[in-house]
Amino acid sequence: MAKQTKILPFVGYVRVSREDQARSGLSLEAQESKVRAMATVKGVELADVVIDAAESGKSLDRPGMRRVMEMMRRREVAGVIVAKLDRLSRRVADFGELLELIEGCGAVLVSAVETVDTSTAAGRMCLNVSMSFAQFEREAICERTKDALQAKLKRGEACGNVQYGFERAEDGKAVRYEPEQRILAVIRLRRAAGMSFGKIAAWLNDRGEVTRSGSQWRAQYVDSVLRRMEQGT
């Protein structure tokens, strides 16, 4: 008798950031409903629906996402189903890393809203197009915000909190704050060496370094200060 091939289940993934929690249509419940409906349409079983609550989409370094990626590496699931692509990430670079993992494990990615299914060539093309437009939109917003802040600075107007690595002088201008500049230099060097945001945060915490608010470092905050430094905002 021929040995039957085991049919692997899929895993669902849902995420909301702190900002998303206040918006309609992006709740965890709404996402999970879409994920389960798509699993029914595809005729596949869900092993679990993994949740990342109050987690930013700027990095893959999240507890739930790490678990989903590990399930694929171990060949425990046939793929991942999401309600919308930006629940996975908002960066094309992250999607490149995810797709490399998914394809390397022989798994697939399915999105309910964009009707993307990477088991087909057309689905992979639609994914690349969708994420390219998503990143373009995000970068355009960043550019407009940066231009607006620079215009305010030229007019001598206050622009909220001072960027990490700087402090506001008595005349209102931002000047270098050397203790934070030292930490920025460490972050930049370790990131250039290939260290993840999570490992950089752990390295800083192990050495007793704290954030500006006095709390421990987290991957998202490392990503944030590095990104603002690169953007000059």
Side-chain angles (χ1 to χ4, degrees), residues 88-116:
L88 290 170
S89 177
R90 296 183 182 274
R91 300 178 62 208
V92 171
D94 288 341
F95 268 93
E97 180 181 343
L98 270 175
L99 283 179
E100 184 177 347
L101 169 63
I102 290 170
E103 292 174 357
C105 296
V108 297
L109 167 63
V110 177
S111 171
V113 171
E114 292 89 355
T115 61
V116 166

Side-chain angles (χ1 to χ4, degrees), residues 90-151:
R90 296 183 182 274
R91 300 178 62 208
V92 171
D94 288 341
F95 268 93
E97 180 181 343
L98 270 175
L99 283 179
E100 184 177 347
L101 169 63
I102 290 170
E103 292 174 357
C105 296
V108 297
L109 167 63
V110 177
S111 171
V113 171
E114 292 89 355
T115 61
V116 166
D117 184 338
T118 61
S119 63
T120 67
R124 290 190 290 273
M125 181 186 72
C126 289
L127 173 63
N128 290 330
V129 171
S130 296
M131 292 317 303
S132 294
F133 274 109
Q135 177 154 330
F136 169 78
E137 180 182 9
R138 183 176 64 82
E139 290 178 351
I141 291 172
C142 288
E143 286 180 1
R144 290 195 295 270
T145 302
K146 181 179 179 179
D147 290 343
L149 289 174
Q150 288 177 341

Side-chain angles (χ1 to χ4, degrees), residues 166-198:
F166 294 84
E167 62 180 346
R168 198 176 297 283
E170 291 184 1
D171 60 3
K173 294 182 179 180
V175 296
R176 288 172 59 92
Y177 181 52
E178 292 308 323
E180 291 181 353
Q181 287 289 336
R182 175 179 56 81
I183 293 176
L184 278 175
V186 170
I187 291 174
R188 183 170 53 237
L189 287 172
R190 292 189 174 272
R191 185 60 179 165
M195 186 177 286
S196 70
F197 296 126

Side-chain angles (χ1 to χ4, degrees), residues 2 33 38 80 93 98 176 206:
S33 178
M38 181 55 72
V80 56
L98 270 175
R176 288 172 59 92
D206 287 345

Side-chain angles (χ1 to χ4, degrees), residues 61 66 164 182-183 186-187 190 195-223 225:
D61 193 4
R66 289 197 297 270
Y164 188 88
R182 175 179 56 81
I183 293 176
V186 170
I187 291 174
R190 292 189 174 272
M195 186 177 286
S196 70
F197 296 126
K199 288 183 179 180
I200 294 174
W203 188 89
L204 290 170
N205 292 331
D206 287 345
R207 284 152 183 77
E209 302 289 358
V210 295
T211 66
R212 181 176 288 178
S213 64
S215 61
Q216 283 201 322
W217 285 83
R218 297 183 63 205
Q220 291 86 347
Y221 192 59
V222 174
D223 183 17
V225 298

